[in-house]
Amino acid sequence: MRKLMMAVVAVTGLGLVTGCQDKKAAVQEQRQEVAEAQREAAQTTAEVQRDAAKEQAEAQQDVREEQRELAELEREQSREQLNDQSNLNDDATGGSGMTHARTEEVEGTIQSASGNSLALIVPDKNNQILRFQTNAQVQVMRDDKPVALTDLKAGDEVRASYMMDPAGKMVLKSIEVEKESAQHPGKQKK
């Protein structure tokens, strides 16, 4: 019986050892799987980080290119503005300092007229109000007849020609009434 018990204990011990070895092998296999998953995750993370860094570098390069293009456009606009200003100065002075500026025309409705200025509402310029300097040389016409500047009233629809003086002010040269406002004396409302 003793031998039998010893045999049972030996078999049980072998079973325990074998079970432990199986569990140990399973744990070892799980550890290897976890380590492999960690390596794959680290590799994937590194790839994602490399891709993100590459995309960021490309985006930064795109921004630098856009900034260079914008700077070039701004330089080009500055050159054009300088050329335009130079051309305006040449037109105004003829390169000799003598003023003979280009005459411009505009159509609008008189907002106000006083002794030395006239304000005109210009529909073609989003109803912007242009203010002109006036003087005794302004030629004022209504129905192909000369009239005084003081005869103009708010609401008159006119065509005006002007030039820029050296100080950058618009100086009225001539004005022609195209349609009188109802504010003119002697006019009857229809």
Side-chain angles (χ1 to χ4, degrees):
M1 176 88 152
R2 194 176 163 151
K3 282 188 177 185
L4 181 61
M5 282 215 344
M6 293 220 7
V8 169
V9 168
V11 168
T12 304
L14 276 175
L16 285 173
V17 168
T18 304
C20 283
Q21 287 177 345
D22 287 345
K23 287 183 180 180
K24 188 176 181 181
V27 167
Q28 184 64 27
E29 186 178 322
Q30 286 178 347
R31 284 183 181 159
Q32 287 175 347
E33 289 174 0
V34 167
E36 179 63 28
Q38 288 174 337
R39 281 191 297 275
E40 288 176 6
Q43 185 178 1
T44 301
T45 300
E47 288 174 3
V48 167
Q49 289 174 341
R50 278 192 305 271
D51 290 346
K54 183 180 177 183
E55 288 178 13
Q56 183 179 10
E58 289 172 354
Q60 288 173 339
Q61 180 64 28
D62 289 346
V63 167
R64 283 190 295 272
E65 288 175 14
E66 289 289 329
Q67 288 173 334
R68 277 193 294 265
E69 289 175 10
L70 180 60
E72 180 59 32
L73 282 173
E74 288 173 347
R75 282 191 297 272
E76 187 176 312
Q77 285 178 341
S78 292
R79 283 191 299 265
E80 287 175 3
Q81 287 174 347
L82 286 174
N83 285 340
D84 289 347
Q85 185 63 38
S86 176
N87 289 341
L88 282 175
N89 288 342
D90 287 347
D91 286 346
T93 63
S96 66
M98 300 293 291
T99 301
H100 67 284
R102 194 174 17 185
T103 301
E104 301 287 334
E105 276 197 7
V106 66
E107 291 187 15
T109 303
I110 294 176
Q111 180 189 43
S112 64
S114 67
N116 61 352
S117 69
L118 180 122
L120 193 63
I121 302 168
V122 183
D124 289 347
K125 295 186 185 235
N126 294 324
N127 291 325
Q128 180 180 3
I129 297 173
L130 299 181
R131 299 192 188 286
F132 301 93
Q133 297 294 313
T134 61
N135 56 36
Q137 287 78 33
V138 175
Q139 182 181 29
V140 183
M141 301 292 286
R142 181 184 304 132
D143 298 325
D144 294 325
K145 295 175 188 163
V147 294
L149 190 59
T150 56
D151 290 339
L152 298 178
K153 303 290 182 215
D156 285 350
E157 294 178 24
V158 298
R159 180 175 46 240
S161 64
Y162 65 94
M163 295 190 317
M164 299 296 283
D165 73 2
K169 294 181 180 178
M170 295 181 288
V171 178
L172 197 61
K173 291 298 174 186
S174 68
I175 189 163
E176 182 178 345
V177 177
E178 295 181 331
K179 183 179 176 187
E180 293 181 336
S181 74
Q183 296 179 21
H184 279 279
K187 285 275 185 184
Q188 293 183 359
K189 295 183 182 175
K190 294 181 182 181

